[in-house]
Amino acid sequence: MEDGIEDNTQFAKQDYWESRYKAEASTNPTETFEWVKGWSFYSQAITPLLNSTDKILHLGCGNSRFSIDMLQSGFPHHTNLDYSPAVIENMRNVFREHEETVEWVVGDIFELGKAVNGRQFDVVIDKGTLDAFLTGFPDDDPWDPSEEVWDLVRKYMAQVHDAVKPGGLFLHITWAQPHFRKRFCEVTGMDVSVKKVGEEWEYFVYVGRKKAE
Ligand SMILES: C[S@@+](CC[C@H](N)C(=O)[O-])C[C@H]1O[C@@H](n2cnc3c(N)ncnc32)[C@H](O)[C@@H]1O
């Protein structure tokens, strides 16, 4: 997932992220980092899908400034969630001036309802987070995922599905190509379309729409 790191499976472990973010926050607390690129790269593709009143949940926000950049583009309401207490505390401090509309929550995506008190969101965004879980299966064949991987994907997407309002959106931003990733996003029955972004290096925005009730 990251060049120059041999054991990618660490990206699937909470203690890896917690110690990485602790170290980063102590050396340079205001530094932010974008996996699979930042808001300016995707804004043209995503902006037409959104309303300024949308309540947006970011799954595995890390120290990305995606929500802050979105706010500056006219989408002010964000809940940022990560299971690393260190990164959440640091980001909450760094971006305190936006606390009226941007919140930072410690929680596990696999217990999402508990973490967000059963709230639902107009838009749920995963940028690079499912990619991180999947590094936990380095020997899996992406052309033919194992039952273990499907199990994790089903559990993950069930949490996502519950957190999206009826008629709302799930946006999954990743480098993973449609053949491998679209079927994962479709597993709970959302209608999924794909936007390709970039020329030389291609990234994808999977746009899942939950059925209106
Ligand atoms: C690859 S990083 C992506 C960070 C950010 N979304 C970005 O695009 O820069 C994955 C993030 O997901 C978080 N994460 C992984 N598994 C999680 C889980 N089960 N619950 C909450 N956060 C999780 C990690 O702590 C890490 O910050």
Side-chain angles (χ1 to χ4, degrees):
M1 194 170 161
E2 190 172 60
D3 288 346
I5 293 187
E6 276 172 24
D7 179 13
N8 276 349
T9 60
Q10 63 194 330
F11 297 126
K13 297 180 183 141
Q14 195 269 354
D15 55 356
Y16 164 77
W17 290 108
E18 178 65 356
S19 59
R20 173 178 172 141
Y21 290 133
K22 241 185 206 158
E24 287 177 3
S26 68
T27 49
N28 192 353
T30 56
E31 192 171 314
T32 57
F33 183 82
E34 298 300 335
W35 294 82
V36 291
K37 302 207 175 274
W39 170 246
S40 62
F41 188 74
Y42 298 105
S43 60
Q44 246 189 313
I46 293 179
T47 295
L49 303 170
L50 305 178
N51 295 307
S52 60
T53 52
D54 282 347
K55 302 248 185 321
I56 302 170
L57 170 66
H58 300 262
L59 299 174
C61 57
N63 56 358
S64 155
R65 49 172 300 126
F66 208 71
S67 61
I68 303 300
D69 291 341
M70 288 184 78
L71 173 148
Q72 281 156 358
S73 294
F75 305 106
H77 306 288
H78 299 274
T79 298
N80 288 287
L81 178 117
D82 205 286
Y83 65 1
S84 159
V87 83
I88 289 298
E89 188 190 338
N90 188 57
M91 295 297 274
R92 192 185 286 131
N93 282 336
V94 170
F95 294 109
R96 197 165 287 288
E97 66 184 292
H98 301 299
E99 67 187 356
E100 239 176 73
T101 65
V102 180
E103 66 170 345
W104 302 88
V105 175
V106 179
D108 187 340
I109 291 166
F110 289 92
E111 296 187 353
L112 190 53
K114 189 167 127 198
V116 298
N117 299 321
R119 280 180 291 163
Q120 289 188 310
F121 298 82
D122 301 289
V123 182
V124 174
I125 298 181
D126 167 330
K127 182 163 80 71
T129 299
L130 180 54
D131 299 328
F133 304 146
L134 293 174
T135 62
F137 302 89
D139 301 325
D140 219 72
D141 176 3
W143 294 95
D144 183 19
S146 63
E147 204 36 50
E148 232 184 325
V149 165
W150 273 114
D151 234 40
L152 181 95
V153 167
R154 278 189 215 102
K155 280 190 187 125
Y156 173 69
M157 284 303 301
Q159 301 289 321
V160 168
H161 200 262
D162 284 351
V164 177
K165 283 183 189 168
L169 288 179
F170 171 52
L171 303 180
H172 175 39
I173 299 170
T174 173
W175 47 267
Q177 294 179 336
H179 175 77
F180 305 107
R181 198 51 64 85
K182 187 166 179 268
R183 57 189 167 167
F184 286 175
C185 299
E186 286 171 338
V187 80
T188 58
M190 287 189 192
D191 288 325
V192 179
S193 58
V194 188
K195 289 179 175 249
K196 186 165 68 97
V197 187
E199 295 289 326
E200 200 177 339
W201 293 98
E202 290 176 354
Y203 294 84
F204 300 91
V205 181
Y206 293 87
V207 182
R209 171 82 63 190
K210 180 168 169 175
K211 290 181 178 50
E213 277 170 358

